[in-house]
Amino acid sequence: MRSPGLTSIFALVLLLGSAVAQAAIPVYGYKIVRTYPHDAGAYTEGLFYKDGYLYESTGQAGTSTVRKVELQSGETVQRYKLPSQYFGEGIVNWKDRLVQLTWQTQTGFVYDLASFKLRHTFSYAGEGWALTRDDHHLYMSDGTPVLRVLDPESLATTRRITVTADGVPVTNLNELEWIKGELYANVWLTNRIARIDPANGHVVGWIDLGGLFDISQLPDPGNDVLNGIAYDAAHDRLFVTGKRWPKLFEIKLVKRPTP
């Protein structure tokens, strides 16, 4: 039988081990490289970069859109307006298609990428929040700690990834982006982006974007929060913005010293 003293020491070792594990997740700050204009009327739900343009999905029933936006000017060069009953959410491209989710209507849309002409719809259970992709799969968030991996052709769920930080599930996973083998996810209503290992769902880094933009100057700061990640892989450029923010930021990550 273990003596009370040894039991206490064992418990302390476990506690210290847990503290070390928690401290092991690195935190990154940022450096602003460049600022671009962003439509202050765009309630950003989905965002990605392709061939010099941003593709953006905006939300709110009655005003939801899909847009192709010129990066330098922030001007919308192509737009599709969703029927008024739909609240637009995440978007991603696959081959010659554009795939979009809606929030609570369990309906997704597949468009022609070049023309934005609607090809067909598809269904899914639960809410739709965001989409991204690697070379083989689509990844979908629904506001829970569980990301769905979709077959890009059938759009059926093939597996699920539970996202945790130090063993604790991470809720409110929102806009997604695939960057260098990791999933980046906005955590809704925070200034943080989680860097997620897609193999096991572990958060391997936090990006703290506090102070990037003062949302208190916006008309509805409770809702007009950080949301929107896009990556230009060819030039290693990372872009972030928020709902109805007048600016889009190109940033570089800066690792903070371990406490």
Side-chain angles (χ1 to χ4, degrees), residues 4 16 44 47 58 77 79 82 96 110 119 154 164 167 176 179 182 194 205 226 258:
L16 290 173
T44 307
L47 192 70
T58 70
V77 298
R79 183 193 308 252
L82 276 68
D96 61 346
V110 178
R119 290 188 175 186
S154 68
T164 60
L176 300 172
I179 301 177
E182 295 178 358
L226 181 76
T258 303

Side-chain angles (χ1 to χ4, degrees), residues 183-194:
L183 288 161
Y184 283 40
N186 281 118
V187 181
W188 183 52
L189 297 179
T190 77
N191 288 319
R192 284 202 158 190
I193 293 173

Side-chain angles (χ1 to χ4, degrees), residues 136-236:
H136 305 285
H137 310 95
L138 306 187
Y139 298 86
M140 171 182 170
S141 66
D142 58 12
T144 73
V146 180
L147 300 177
R148 308 180 202 187
V149 183
L150 309 182
D151 179 277
E153 299 296 337
S154 68
L155 299 174
T157 300
T158 59
R159 69 183 180 95
R160 299 174 189 269
I161 303 167
T162 299
V163 178
T164 60
D166 300 318
V168 179
V170 180
T171 61
N172 290 331
L173 297 173
N174 203 355
E175 222 277 308
L176 300 172
E177 186 73 12
W178 180 268
I179 301 177
K180 299 179 182 178
E182 295 178 358
L183 288 161
Y184 283 40
N186 281 118
V187 181
W188 183 52
L189 297 179
T190 77
N191 288 319
R192 284 202 158 190
I193 293 173
R195 296 176 58 171
I196 302 161
D197 182 341
N200 53 30
H202 294 169
V203 173
V204 295
W206 294 107
I207 303 169
D208 184 354
L209 297 182
L212 179 63
F213 183 74
D214 181 10
I215 63 173
S216 68
Q217 64 184 274
L218 298 176
D220 188 9
N223 287 309
D224 297 343
V225 295
L226 181 76
N227 197 54
I229 312 166
Y231 182 61
D232 173 11
H235 302 96
D236 192 25

